[in-house]
Amino acid sequence: MRDTRAINRFLLGLGLRIRNNPAISPDLCLDPHSLEQAVRTDLPQLRSLLRESTAGNRSMRRSLGLVDVFPASELHVGSWRVFVVEERATGDAGLLAEGAGPIPLPAAVPLGDGLQLVPLLWEGLAPLKNLLLADDPGCTVFPVARGTLSRSSLGIGARFTTLHWPAVAWAMKELGLSLTANQNSIPRELVYDVDAMLEDRLVEVPFPFIGGTVPEGHQGQSVEGMSHAAVVAYLKCGFHRRRIPWGFNADHQPIGGRFDAIEEELVQGCAFASYITFDLSPELAATPPPETPEDVDRAFAALDAADLFRRVLARVAPLGLSLDEAAARRLFATLLPAMRKLVRRDEAYARVRRELFTTEIGRRYFRELSIDELPGRTTPETLAVCLALAEALGVEIHYVAPAIGFQKNFPYPDDVELRRTVESLTAVARGFGSSIGFHSGSGKSAGNYAVAGDVTRQGLEIKTSGRYTYEMGVALSRSTDPRDAALWNDWYGFTRNLAIEGAFSADPVRQRFAREFVLHALAHEGRSADGAFASPEALRAALSDLVPSPDHMFFFEYNFLYVLAAAGSTSRLGDHGAAGYAQRARFYGASDEARLLYAKGVAGYILFLAETTGLASAPRVAAARERLAALPDHDAFERDLVA
């Protein structure tokens, strides 16, 4: 286990606390001594609270003198009754355990009269998971690879902050539907190793959809911190009582290339994910495909895998595809080095889970093969070779993500063509027991989602991320709170500045994307683009004349970059110092009005996805929408969440 004290000293030295900057440290308690003192001060009230019946008292939190208690978090495990407690001023969290004998969790502190405090430290997360699953294999406190998640889900991306989790829990409980409730690209979005952050070893990574690069970990949180915080967030609201399995996807796990050197850190960091997406693109970029027939022959011979190739062809043959053997040899020679590294990564995941977890269900995880980075649209033949190769190498693929022509945040223009494409790919995927993963899933039309759900018979995952950052923009822009309005105006202005800079960038790709985003925003407002690109000053004048709106495409595409931009500067993106985290804290300081609007926006979009894909029935979605609309304030939302 990693010693997280260095990251905690760093955070405390900067005055950064979990209350306004969660999920940076793998620990959910930066100062265990302070938490213990707060709990001891409130012990008389805590003992009184524990004597009360919690059956009819499912409030989200009960505030005492210095600590908050979360009644709905109540767990019965072995001989202990356990609740989540937090020091209100700092957000440091622990488990208050009542029962006979020491609870077998690290750092437990006896408080007397059968009470113990367990600070929520990273080193205790695996023992807690083992304790819970050994006592109750059906427990859903932790993300788990079980149930309908093996073939269908909606992936709810956290490219932004942790603020969306209550809305996701609300949607799952209203629909009775399992979701991949947390999805992050690692290390593109999350810090894969807090030591790497402290030692300034994070690097720039490409973001093709904005035509530039962004620092690793630009969300300002760690994968271990997100793993820990997600578990406790769902525990606080009593979601475990629903017995609905939920998932955590370590998305776009990079295979090969420079990531060979940090493979162990990636595997250790993502050990609690219930769903791994293997992204072959780093290795494919590092080894360009053979071009000429002679190059293919040489590459094929060097692999020493003729028997494996024959097995792949034999597996594909019954599918009735028009597979050209020469093209298959070229694809095989291109893919096999990356696939061998995928096998190595998969074996490392299995090893780490055997070391950490004591139950079979606790060790299990789903696998997705991401091939949408291969050139061009994915043909049925390409999909078949990829899945046959994975199968021949002994890797079970639950989801496969082909390139079907989805563009981020834009609807697919032709539902008839989309149906033909998805039908041909789904027929292949079914032959291997896999479901289709639709990446770049945000912003598609109701018709697009309906086609995907219908053709796959709901054997699919729609991955969405950017939508939930957008929904915070909507919430802040509609809030009447002055602090929310100030944050909204600063945020929108930042994206406008990035659009102007990008539109005149020397990088042709960045310039092209920025101008497309600007043209979309001008068209959305019915404005002419004549002369807009004559100069940066002309473009600034044209955009400044628009009423700020989260529906402007440059806001939609660039907004996530603001979260860790020091002092809101376009030149200081992904700042993992005091200034970057001060910026991030602004979002956690949003008003209850904005939080309610945000929760309604996130939950409402999940309801839309669930209905259009057919994952939930129209009557159930309609009832949930009516219930959501009737919630008058954030307190009412929290009460309904735990009801």
Side-chain angles (χ1 to χ4, degrees):
M1 290 290 188
R2 180 177 298 116
D3 177 0
T4 58
R5 285 174 293 180
I7 184 66
N8 294 349
R9 288 194 298 271
F10 167 79
L11 296 172
L12 291 171
L14 293 177
L16 299 174
R17 303 308 299 253
I18 289 171
R19 172 68 60 208
N20 293 318
N21 263 298
I24 305 169
S25 169
D27 292 335
L28 296 194
C29 181
L30 305 183
D31 187 347
H33 178 71
S34 177
L35 174 63
E36 180 187 344
Q37 292 306 111
V39 168
R40 288 189 182 278
T41 298
D42 285 352
L43 266 180
Q45 296 175 75
L46 284 167
R47 288 195 177 99
S48 177
L49 179 62
L50 292 178
R51 285 194 295 269
E52 296 178 11
S53 170
T54 59
N57 180 22
R58 293 295 189 185
S59 58
M60 182 76 167
R61 77 189 72 229
R62 289 280 298 274
S63 294
L64 307 181
L66 299 176
V67 302
D68 288 342
V69 184
F70 295 83
S73 69
E74 182 178 6
L75 277 170
H76 291 267
V77 54
S79 62
W80 300 278
R81 182 174 169 229
V82 178
F83 294 87
V84 175
V85 293
E86 268 186 4
E87 185 178 2
R88 190 177 313 109
T90 66
D92 279 0
L95 300 177
L96 186 66
E98 179 187 47
I103 192 167
L105 295 174
V109 177
L111 301 172
D113 293 335
L115 293 181
Q116 301 166 74
L117 174 67
V118 183
L120 283 172
L121 307 178
W122 176 252
E123 66 184 10
L125 194 58
L128 177 62
K129 179 177 178 178
N130 293 334
L131 181 66
L132 292 174
L133 287 175
D135 187 69
D136 176 11
C139 172
T140 57
V141 169
F142 283 80
V144 64
R146 188 173 65 223
T148 59
L149 290 171
S150 65
R151 67 173 302 272
S152 64
S153 182
L154 302 174
I156 312 302
R159 193 196 295 160
F160 175 42
T161 65
T162 69
L163 292 167
H164 69 303
W165 287 337
V168 182
W170 188 93
M172 285 194 288
K173 70 102 173 172
E174 281 300 303
L175 298 178
L177 182 66
S178 291
L179 300 178
T180 304
N182 201 72
Q183 170 188 301
N184 293 91
S185 296
I186 301 149
R188 190 172 69 179
E189 294 171 357
L190 300 189
V191 174
Y192 64 91
D193 179 351
V194 290
D195 293 339
M197 183 185 91
L198 294 176
E199 296 164 11
D200 199 25
R201 290 191 278 117
L202 302 180
V203 301
E204 295 280 322
V205 293
F207 263 59
F209 66 90
I210 61 171
T213 62
V214 175
E216 279 180 343
H218 62 80
Q219 286 188 30
Q221 50 212 7
S222 77
V223 60
E224 292 168 332
M226 287 289 275
S227 300
H228 204 166
V231 168
V232 176
Y234 290 115
L235 189 58
K236 285 180 183 176
C237 68
F239 186 72
H240 59 291
R241 294 182 289 110
R242 316 281 177 192
R243 308 289 284 185
I244 299 173
W246 59 281
F248 190 126
N249 176 216
D251 199 9
H252 287 291
Q253 275 286 286
I255 302 298
R258 74 174 182 86
F259 299 100
D260 286 342
I262 61 170
E263 190 161 65
E264 188 65 18
E265 289 91 336
L266 288 169
V267 170
Q268 292 282 350
C270 300
F272 285 85
S274 59
Y275 173 14
I276 308 295
T277 299
F278 295 98
D279 182 354
L280 304 181
S281 55
E283 185 65 18
L284 295 177
T287 54
E291 297 294 339
T292 68
E294 294 76 19
D295 290 339
V296 171
D297 289 342
R298 280 192 294 270
F300 188 86
L303 292 171
D304 190 24
D307 181 63
L308 180 64
F309 180 64
R310 285 191 292 272
R311 286 161 54 201
V312 167
L313 290 184
R315 179 66 175 86
V316 171
L319 300 177
L321 300 172
S322 302
L323 185 62
D324 176 79
E325 184 167 340
R329 280 168 61 90
R330 181 175 182 274
L331 181 61
F332 181 86
T334 300
L335 283 176
L336 184 55
M339 290 294 293
R340 282 173 168 166
K341 289 192 174 185
L342 183 154
V343 172
R344 186 179 75 190
R345 178 74 61 83
D346 188 54
E347 289 172 346
Y349 269 115
R351 169 182 52 79
V352 164
R353 287 158 192 256
R354 286 194 302 270
E355 294 168 354
L356 284 176
F357 308 133
T358 56
T359 65
E360 190 57 38
I361 186 60
R363 294 170 175 170
R364 191 168 184 234
Y365 56 99
F366 299 134
R367 301 168 186 82
E368 178 179 49
L369 177 62
S370 174
I371 59 171
D372 60 341
E373 68 281 348
L374 291 172
R377 302 279 183 92
T378 301
T379 65
E381 290 76 15
T382 296
L383 182 62
V385 170
C386 292
L387 289 173
L389 182 53
E391 183 179 272
L393 291 170
V395 180
E396 181 182 9
I397 300 297
H398 300 86
Y399 292 89
V400 61
I404 60 173
F406 272 12
Q407 299 297 316
K408 286 186 181 294
N409 308 317
F410 286 96
Y412 195 92
D414 186 337
D415 281 338
V416 174
E417 179 189 327
L418 179 63
R419 180 174 288 274
R420 285 196 298 267
T421 298
V422 177
E423 282 176 345
S424 64
L425 295 173
T426 298
V428 173
R430 282 198 189 118
F432 292 89
S434 300
S435 295
I436 298 289
F438 293 85
H439 290 194
S440 302
S442 289
K444 303 302 175 282
S445 69
N448 294 164
Y449 294 130
V451 166
D454 179 54
V455 172
T456 64
R457 300 176 209 155
Q458 289 71 52
L460 82 168
E461 181 181 58
I462 305 285
K463 288 197 170 182
T464 56
S465 290
R467 180 72 188 204
Y468 310 113
T469 326
Y470 161 83
E471 291 293 351
M472 179 57 84
V474 172
L476 292 171
S477 69
R478 293 178 179 174
S479 173
T480 61
D481 186 282
R483 294 171 302 158
D484 297 337
L487 176 56
W488 161 243
N489 287 324
D490 290 346
W491 194 8
Y492 179 86
F494 166 88
T495 64
R496 182 173 56 203
N497 289 340
L498 267 180
I500 295 167
E501 291 174 16
F504 294 92
S505 171
D507 183 322
V509 177
R510 184 184 176 196
Q511 182 186 112
R512 175 173 61 84
F513 275 110
R515 293 193 176 204
E516 285 179 3
F517 302 155
V518 166
L519 289 171
H520 188 280
L522 291 172
H524 178 79
E525 297 294 344
R527 303 295 184 91
S528 170
D530 291 346
F533 299 112
S535 68
E537 294 74 22
L539 182 56
R540 183 171 298 279
L543 296 183
S544 296
D545 195 39
L546 303 179
V547 176
S549 168
D551 291 318
H552 293 160
M553 188 57 70
F554 57 81
F555 174 79
F556 201 114
E557 295 289 355
Y558 294 134
N559 55 31
F560 70 99
L561 296 169
Y562 187 65
V563 177
L564 215 65
S569 171
T570 58
S571 63
R572 297 181 64 188
L573 306 180
D575 187 313
H576 291 90
Y581 284 112
Q583 172 78 354
R584 184 172 182 259
R586 295 185 70 185
F587 289 94
Y588 289 98
S591 71
D592 280 352
E593 180 185 2
R595 286 174 181 256
L596 175 67
L597 290 167
Y598 182 55
K600 286 188 171 184
V602 171
Y605 191 66
I606 294 171
L607 296 180
F608 164 72
L609 292 172
E611 181 178 23
T612 54
T613 59
L615 288 172
S617 69
R620 187 152 190 177
V621 171
R625 283 201 183 101
E626 184 177 354
R627 188 178 183 100
L628 186 64
L631 298 173
D633 53 41
H634 192 257
D635 285 343
F637 172 78
E638 287 196 337
R639 288 193 300 272
D640 197 68
L641 178 57
V642 302

